[in-house]
């Protein structure tokens, strides 16, 4: 069976903001087509998509090193002595897999885990069932693995739908790795753009009338621009990760597409409120491989006659898509469609849908038809 992909593209204008900062607090950038662009990393956008999907589906996971400390706190809250609760938390890590997971002096695991939030309750239950063994082993120099390895390992390896979608890397536990079904590209401006500096002050409200000056002054950086965004879901891999549960796959695929279009990284949101939505969304269902349209903007878009980059960016993507379809002969594409602010369909992007939900429903139905006739 050939692989099946749902490709998602968006053109989105974002006003003054700093959605994703580098180590110096400046907006991230990339040089593309010999021109500097503003960039938002895939990790930044992927996180807000993930949390949105989890909230929508009511199934929360956590990427964390704090499992031993969370177990300790849960046990202490239930009446365990602090020292025994702390020892049990460390033993949870030590009893994972044949060699165990190392913990550092602060009680953190040495590696980042990605697991369902419900796992903490399950782990504390296992500790409770083996409290006597923990009490006997506490204080020993090398207590070994006092908790049963298999149930601890299985709990830490358990998946949520978002783990099945986005994957998990955990080489320390055999069988815990999950190859993610979703790929998310770095977003970048379709045109030349550079960070800008903002000098700001804050007033001290209790200064006397005769006092002058401000209570605080500083500079910050922000950027603005029209971004191209792209993501693709390997529907075949998603079905495999979900053990071929078609219904769950359709729900998850729709939630991911919705969050891809409607989410926004939250950095500096209180001081910038850059809450726009895409001007244009384009979805395509393909076999064999995904196709990004990023190359449409290798030559930076220039402002149109009325100013602005959004309209020429939408047209540039549509023109490039039309040329790609000509080159590929529309092979391996079973569906494509668009939804956006334009009153008429853009040539090259398939049927026009009135809303994002209509487009998502059509794309998901094409990728995973309810009759089960999946390519």
């Amino acid at each position: 069976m050939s692989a099946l992909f749902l490709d998602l593209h968006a053109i989105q204008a974002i006003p003054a903001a700093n959605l994703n900062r580098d180590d110096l607090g400046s907006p991230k950038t990339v040089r593309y087509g010999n021109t500097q662009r503003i960039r938002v990393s895939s990790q930044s956008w992927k996180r807000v998509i993930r949390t949105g999907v989890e909230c929508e589906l009511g199934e929360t996971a956590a990427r964390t090193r704090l499992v031993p400390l969370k177990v300790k706190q849960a046990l202490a809250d239930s009446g365990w002595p602090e020292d025994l609760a702390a020892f049990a938390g460390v033993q949870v890590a030590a009893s994972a897999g044949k060699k165990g997971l190392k913990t550092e002096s602060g009680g953190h695991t040495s590696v980042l885990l990605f697991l369902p939030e419900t796992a903490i309750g399950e782990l504390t239950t296992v500790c409770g069932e083996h409290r006597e063994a923990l009490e006997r082993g506490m204080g020993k120099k090398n207590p070994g693995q006092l908790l049963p390895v298999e149930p601890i390992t299985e709990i830490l390896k358990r998946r949520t739908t978002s783990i099945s979608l986005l994957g998990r890397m955990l080489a320390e536990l055999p069988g815990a790795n999950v190859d993610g079904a979703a790929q998310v590209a770095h977003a970048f401006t379709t045109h030349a753009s550079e960070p800008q500096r903002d000098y700001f002050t804050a007033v001290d409200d209790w200064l006397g009338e005769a006092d002058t000056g401000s209570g605080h002054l500083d500079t910050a950086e922000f950027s603005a621009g029209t971004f191209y965004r792209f993501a693709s879901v390997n529907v075949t891999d998603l079905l495999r990760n979900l053990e071929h549960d078609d219904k769950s796959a359709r729900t998850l695929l729709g939630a991911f597409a919705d969050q891809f279009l409607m989410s926004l990284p939250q950095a500096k949101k209180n001081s910038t409120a850059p809450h726009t939505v895409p001007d244009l969304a384009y979805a395509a269902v393909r076999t064999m491989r995904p196709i990004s349209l990023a190359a449409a903007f290798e030559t930076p878009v220039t402002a149109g006659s009325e100013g602005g980059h959004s309209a020429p960016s939408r047209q540039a993507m549509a023109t490039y898509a039309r040329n790609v379809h000509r080159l590929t002969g529309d092979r391996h594409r079973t569906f494509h469609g668009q939804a956006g602010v334009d009153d008429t369909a853009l040539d090259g992007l398939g049927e026009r849908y009135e809303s994002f939900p209509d487009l998502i429903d059509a794309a998901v139905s094409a990728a995973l038809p309810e009759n089960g006739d999946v390519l």
Side-chain angles (χ1 to χ4, degrees):
M1 182 179 72
S2 61
L4 188 69
F5 300 89
L6 173 60
D7 289 352
L8 299 166
H9 312 256
I11 299 294
Q12 185 167 356
I14 297 177
N18 191 349
L19 300 182
N20 187 208
R21 290 167 277 182
D22 64 16
D23 56 333
L24 299 177
S26 301
K28 289 185 177 180
T29 61
V30 63
R31 196 160 189 85
Y32 185 50
N34 201 32
T35 305
Q36 182 166 274
R37 321 290 181 95
I38 300 299
R39 174 175 62 92
V40 179
S41 72
S42 57
Q43 296 94 325
S44 175
W45 223 305
K46 191 186 297 184
R47 176 176 170 77
V48 71
I49 290 172
R50 173 175 72 85
T51 55
V53 167
E54 290 175 347
C55 182
E56 185 173 336
L57 301 184
E59 191 181 41
T60 308
R63 183 175 278 111
T64 182
R65 295 171 59 206
L66 301 180
V67 167
L69 297 177
K70 288 290 186 180
V71 170
K72 169 192 171 183
Q73 188 61 53
L75 292 172
D77 289 345
S78 68
W80 283 44
E82 284 281 337
D83 56 349
L84 182 60
F87 180 66
V90 171
Q91 270 295 310
V92 163
S95 301
K98 291 183 179 180
K99 297 182 179 180
L101 300 175
K102 295 180 180 179
T103 51
E104 299 177 354
S105 57
H108 308 77
T109 55
S110 58
V111 295
L112 201 62
L113 303 175
F114 190 17
L115 71 171
E117 285 197 353
T118 54
I120 300 303
E122 298 176 71
L123 292 168
T124 57
T125 297
V126 175
C127 291
E129 292 170 349
H130 297 84
R131 179 168 176 167
E132 290 184 5
L134 292 168
E135 290 174 334
R136 289 195 301 269
M138 190 174 68
K140 291 183 179 180
K141 186 175 182 180
N142 294 303
Q145 294 178 313
L146 300 177
L147 297 173
V149 170
E150 186 172 339
I152 294 292
T153 304
E154 286 304 310
I155 291 169
L156 294 178
K157 288 166 56 176
R158 200 157 291 156
R159 303 179 186 180
T160 62
T161 51
S162 63
I163 293 172
S164 295
L165 175 70
L166 297 170
R168 174 175 61 199
M169 178 63 183
L170 188 57
E172 287 76 7
L173 290 183
N177 287 347
V178 180
D179 290 331
Q183 303 176 17
V184 181
H186 291 244
F188 64 92
T189 52
T190 62
H191 51 89
S193 185
E194 296 182 356
Q196 302 173 55
R197 296 182 68 82
D198 174 35
Y199 170 81
F200 66 91
T201 65
V203 175
D204 188 326
D205 291 331
W206 284 1
L207 282 177
E209 291 184 6
D211 295 319
T212 59
S214 63
H216 175 77
L217 59 87
D218 203 348
T219 58
E221 293 192 39
F222 65 91
S223 63
T226 299
F227 288 79
Y228 169 71
R229 300 171 50 213
F230 173 69
S232 182
V233 179
N234 186 321
V235 180
T236 306
D237 284 351
L238 182 63
L239 279 169
R240 185 182 300 115
N241 288 349
L242 294 173
E243 298 180 337
H244 299 280
D245 184 341
D246 289 11
K247 183 177 179 181
S248 293
R250 276 190 292 272
T251 300
L252 183 54
L253 199 59
F256 177 81
D258 182 54
Q259 291 298 325
F260 171 80
L261 294 175
M262 299 302 293
S263 66
L264 200 68
Q266 299 296 293
K268 293 251 182 203
K269 65 178 181 179
N270 288 354
S271 56
T272 58
H275 301 298
T276 62
V277 297
D279 301 324
L280 173 65
Y282 172 54
V285 176
R286 302 183 184 278
T287 59
M288 194 170 77
R289 55 158 289 182
I291 295 180
S292 167
L293 300 177
F297 310 108
E298 198 269 345
T299 298
V301 167
T302 56
S305 58
E306 297 181 359
H309 294 98
S310 292
S313 295
R314 297 194 298 271
Q315 188 57 59
M317 189 174 86
T319 300
Y320 185 78
R322 186 170 64 249
N323 288 330
V324 166
H325 299 156
R326 173 179 55 79
L327 289 170
T328 61
D330 287 343
R331 294 174 61 205
H332 310 294
R333 193 198 70 227
T334 61
F335 166 89
H336 70 150
Q338 60 184 293
V341 297
D342 295 286
D343 292 332
T344 57
L346 292 166
D347 187 24
L349 300 182
E351 181 180 348
R352 180 179 181 272
Y353 292 84
E354 284 297 318
S355 68
F356 293 156
D358 289 345
L359 173 62
I360 291 169
D361 288 346
V364 171
S365 295
L368 288 168
E370 293 195 19
N371 61 14
D373 187 17
V374 181
L375 289 176

